[in-house]
Amino acid sequence: MAHPSTYQPASGIGRWFDSRLPVPRVMHDQFMVFPTPRNLNYWWTFGGILSFMLAVQMATGVVLAMHFVPTPEGAFDSVEKIMRDVNWGWLLRYSHAVGASMFFLAVYIHTFRGLYYGSYKAPREVLWILGVLILLLMIATAFMGYSLVWGQMSFWAVTVITNLFSSLDALIPGLGTVLVEWIWGGFSVGGPTLNRLYALHYLFPFVIAGVVILHIWALHVPGNNNPTGVDVKTAKDTIPFHPYYTIKDGFALVVFLIVFAALLFYAPNFLGHPDNYVPANPLQTPPHIVPEWYFLPFYAILRAIPNKLFGVIGLIGSISILFFVPWLDTSRIRSTSYRPIYKWFFWLFVVTCIALGYLGSQAPDGWYLFFGRLCTAYYFGFFLLIMPIVGLIERPKRLPGSITQSVLGSEAPQRAVSSESAPEGVA
Amino acid sequence: MANPETSTDSSLLPDDDPSRRDVILIGAGAFAAIGGAAVLWPLLDQMNPDASTLSLSTTEVDIAPIEEGQAITVMWRGKPIFIRHRTAKEIDEAKEVKLDKLIDPLARNANLPEDAEATDANRAASDREPWLVMIGICTHLGCIPKGQAVGDYKGEYGGWFCPCHGSQYDTAGRVRVGPAPQNMYIPPYAFTSDTKIKIG
């Protein structure tokens, strides 16, 4: 949040540099003394964890690229060569593959945190939209990265997902076919496809890093939301980012890395599909095509809708609907903790997303298809009906008078919140 | 004193009179936009199928060894082509189907006009009823349907079954159970002799 700079260059060189390119000043003001709400809980540590995971993926990815061969003949073998021959190759590749899973685990927790505490509400709409954009870029990057292994699942995932664009043939005949052949660089998924997916997989993380900088910038204009959703009112409500949150984020990161390391060293293939250790075969589709776990809920939505074009619209809509959440939620209260009715719908939504993940891994028939459709209906109903309606009819619980009061209780004077003069802690 | 003829300050202009500066501004902007689009096109068009891909456009297949009831798969343009030597029972089943029972009423046969109906005659090779030649790609999301090998599950209509999302095709390769929206496509092909087919 905007606050006067307190940076004092310690040396002559520091002063010389500060008057020419004040990067140390920005670092000091934004990451050392930045006033941060004093009540942030551990759900707020995932931003730092995500920055770290992006760095892990970029570092391991750059070195893997030094050994990878982006051709249909060479790709699968070069991945196996990395696993067997390249020094530390097994560690680098498993870190990158398991790292993708951990990255998505963190980003989903981070997104649900934002949803629960209303971090998308004014004045943080742009911050939220940039976050959804990062999520979309991550999905595209992960999809392209998975294709590079050129195993059976890679190949057929690319085939199925690129074919989604052919559904546009239902709108304008021929448009979808032209688009898909443009994406493929041929009449089917092949060498040109692999090569361009590799080029884009290398590019996108840098685009993500750029949007992350904007995301943090957009965070630092209004400052952090907090578990109460009540705005910062006095300096007493905040503490400097360093050392308080560097320590807290650091501790959470270490705990997160223990989970990462446990998967990486003891079950590196636990989240993968064994079929991807079979080289790609364009003449044989595997009996069950399933995406990586982090795409399963979206895949379940795609398959729940019997029409090809509408299935694709549902798939794309399930993510892009997040862009509109700041305007779909009509409640003036940010934090779900103070919303007695919405709270139930929120947790049911979390359960629905997990259920969709399970249903996405099963064959879409019988009861699985029935529940897939039920969950898909709730998924969209949550955003399109529950968010606007519950916000209007719900009577929220009384908010604390300030962040400090929520932490220290009686020390701060009580201030009642009435519906007429509501502005305490409302968006 | 600012000259109304050259100033960018519109308040100096008499009425809404366009100045020479406006003309230059609009002209330069238009040229930059057209130039930008012209430069963008090679950057986009490079992704389309290249000359070497386009040149792989025909494949010859010897169909003499295919017995009645058997099917083979060959590659054309990186796509699997199903060639099935149908039995009399399979042909009869395909012929009995009324067109209004079909999900997709069009033949999707590159050798016929686009609006040809999906009758068995329009799907099978012309004057060679037992032969069905088609691109073996499910029109839903591009999986390869099962049904080519003898032991494969062929779905309720005896043709092909797509394992990905459960689409089913009959013995003329017409979609009978969704989510696939269209019949499997028939590539351009011709019999060069009684036992040879040229695809493409």
Side-chain angles (χ1 to χ4, degrees):
Chain A
M1 109 196 30
H3 60 101
S5 178
T6 57
Y7 179 64
Q8 296 286 348
S11 64
I13 294 170
R15 278 189 294 280
W16 182 88
F17 199 82
D18 184 53
S19 60
R20 284 160 178 80
L21 183 65
V23 169
R25 175 181 297 278
V26 171
M27 289 297 157
H28 175 84
D29 292 343
Q30 301 300 322
F31 300 102
M32 299 291 282
V33 298
F34 189 72
T36 313
R38 62 194 289 170
N39 60 340
L40 299 189
N41 58 33
Y42 275 104
W43 299 113
W44 259 264
T45 61
F46 284 87
I49 289 170
L50 284 162
S51 306
F52 182 84
M53 287 312 299
L54 179 62
V56 167
Q57 292 304 89
M58 289 176 85
T60 52
V62 165
V63 293
L64 285 169
M66 296 179 185
H67 305 278
F68 177 71
V69 180
T71 64
E73 300 76 29
F76 188 89
D77 289 348
S78 72
V79 171
E80 285 309 303
K81 193 172 143 61
I82 288 168
M83 293 299 294
R84 293 150 199 249
D85 298 346
V86 174
N87 297 333
W88 300 100
W90 61 272
L91 178 67
L92 297 169
R93 185 200 165 219
Y94 276 154
S95 299
H96 199 68
V98 178
S101 280
M102 297 305 289
F103 203 170
F104 272 97
L105 176 68
V107 84
Y108 287 145
I109 293 173
H110 191 66
T111 309
F112 277 119
R113 192 288 318 272
L115 269 183
Y116 182 88
Y117 291 111
S119 300
Y120 47 84
K121 283 179 183 289
R124 297 184 182 82
E125 301 95 323
V126 173
L127 169 63
W128 171 263
I129 287 169
L130 288 168
V132 179
L133 193 61
I134 293 168
L135 178 63
L136 274 174
L137 286 167
M138 277 179 65
I139 288 170
T141 308
F143 168 73
M144 294 190 290
Y146 189 66
S147 75
L148 302 183
V149 182
W150 217 240
Q152 271 291 67
M153 268 314 158
S154 299
F155 182 89
W156 289 100
V158 176
T159 299
V160 166
I161 298 303
T162 51
N163 261 305
L164 294 178
F165 292 98
S166 71
S167 62
L168 292 172
D169 276 342
L171 290 177
I172 304 169
L175 174 67
T177 307
V178 166
L179 190 60
V180 169
E181 288 179 358
W182 177 72
I183 292 167
W184 287 339
F187 302 104
S188 56
V189 174
T193 325
L194 173 57
N195 218 324
R196 63 191 54 179
L197 290 177
Y198 178 53
L200 294 174
H201 182 68
Y202 206 119
L203 168 69
F204 271 38
F206 295 92
V207 179
I208 292 176
V211 185
V212 165
I213 289 169
L214 294 181
H215 189 64
I216 295 171
W217 189 355
L219 168 69
H220 280 227
V221 174
N224 295 75
N225 185 26
N226 67 86
T228 63
V230 176
D231 283 329
V232 169
K233 288 179 185 128
T234 61
K236 267 183 86 181
D237 289 342
T238 66
I239 44 178
F241 187 78
H242 179 76
Y244 296 101
Y245 286 112
T246 45
I247 288 292
K248 187 161 184 158
D249 284 358
F251 176 69
L253 178 63
V254 168
V255 173
F256 186 82
L257 287 179
I258 291 172
V259 180
F260 185 5
L263 270 174
L264 171 59
F265 293 112
Y266 292 94
N269 290 304
F270 175 67
L271 295 167
H273 197 291
D275 274 8
N276 219 28
Y277 282 100
V278 177
N281 178 0
L283 287 180
Q284 194 186 14
T285 307
H288 292 288
I289 300 178
V290 282
E292 292 286 86
W293 70 268
Y294 37 82
F295 294 151
L296 287 172
F298 308 117
Y299 194 56
I301 289 172
L302 169 74
R303 298 190 306 178
I305 302 169
N307 174 292
K308 179 172 165 180
L309 180 61
F310 286 106
V312 174
I313 290 170
L315 175 75
I316 296 167
S318 62
I319 303 163
S320 43
I321 200 165
L322 291 170
F323 283 117
F324 303 98
V325 162
W327 297 278
L328 287 169
D329 184 357
T330 53
S331 174
R332 298 164 72 202
I333 305 297
R334 288 201 188 98
S335 173
T336 303
S337 302
Y338 301 96
R339 299 185 60 187
I341 300 173
Y342 179 76
K343 185 184 272 182
W344 291 98
F345 289 110
F346 176 85
W347 287 111
L348 183 58
F349 177 73
V350 175
V351 171
T352 299
C353 289
I354 294 167
L356 279 170
Y358 171 73
L359 294 163
S361 69
Q362 302 298 315
D365 43 33
W367 285 103
Y368 290 120
L369 187 57
F370 172 78
F371 281 110
R373 288 179 177 166
L374 192 69
C375 290
T376 301
Y378 185 75
Y379 184 96
F380 287 104
F382 176 74
F383 290 109
L384 296 174
L385 297 173
I386 290 163
M387 272 197 169
I389 294 171
V390 173
L392 293 176
I393 61 173
E394 181 179 52
R395 188 182 166 83
K397 288 195 215 165
R398 175 188 284 231
L399 292 169
S402 70
I403 291 170
T404 303
Q405 189 194 319
S406 79
V407 177
L408 302 177
S410 56
E411 193 188 291
Q414 290 280 339
R415 274 201 266 172
V417 181
S418 69
S419 53
E420 288 82 25
S421 63
E424 321 266 326
V426 298
Chain B
M1 191 67 192
N3 179 355
E5 281 290 301
T6 55
S7 172
T8 52
D9 185 352
S10 57
S11 67
L12 294 175
L13 290 174
D15 303 325
D16 286 334
D17 209 19
S19 68
R20 284 189 300 171
R21 198 163 281 274
D22 283 337
V23 174
I24 290 168
L25 197 67
I26 293 165
F31 269 89
I34 294 165
V39 169
L40 195 61
W41 178 245
L43 292 173
L44 291 174
D45 191 39
Q46 55 81 23
M47 280 177 69
N48 273 316
D50 67 16
S52 70
T53 306
L54 293 171
S55 68
L56 295 169
S57 53
T58 60
T59 303
E60 285 227 355
V61 190
D62 181 10
I63 56 167
I66 311 172
E67 301 285 335
E68 192 175 293
Q70 285 186 339
I72 63 161
T73 306
V74 296
M75 290 291 270
W76 172 69
R77 286 184 160 184
K79 300 177 183 195
I81 302 294
F82 289 175
I83 302 175
R84 184 141 154 184
H85 192 168
R86 300 185 297 171
T87 63
K89 179 170 168 284
E90 288 171 343
I91 298 167
D92 288 342
E93 279 173 6
K95 280 181 161 177
E96 277 169 20
V97 179
K98 295 220 167 52
L99 286 184
D100 57 8
K101 292 252 200 264
L102 295 174
I103 293 171
D104 178 16
L106 296 177
R108 308 284 173 195
N109 186 337
N111 308 287
L112 294 175
E114 270 186 31
D115 57 353
E117 288 185 326
T119 58
D120 187 61
N122 282 346
R123 297 279 304 167
S126 62
D127 303 326
R128 286 182 170 85
E129 198 167 55
W131 294 99
L132 185 65
V133 180
M134 60 183 191
I135 300 171
I137 292 179
C138 179
T139 57
H140 181 225
L141 293 176
C143 298
I144 313 292
K146 297 262 170 207
Q148 287 292 91
V150 176
D152 281 354
Y153 176 60
K154 295 180 165 67
E156 284 173 40
Y157 298 89
W160 289 265
F161 170 79
C162 184
C164 293
H165 305 98
S167 296
Q168 298 187 25
Y169 297 86
D170 66 15
T171 53
R174 297 172 296 199
V175 62
R176 303 301 296 278
V177 175
Q182 290 161 357
N183 303 324
M184 278 195 267
Y185 279 68
I186 292 175
Y189 70 96
F191 278 79
T192 52
S193 75
D194 277 349
T195 58
K196 281 221 163 64
I197 300 178
K198 192 175 94 174
I199 303 165

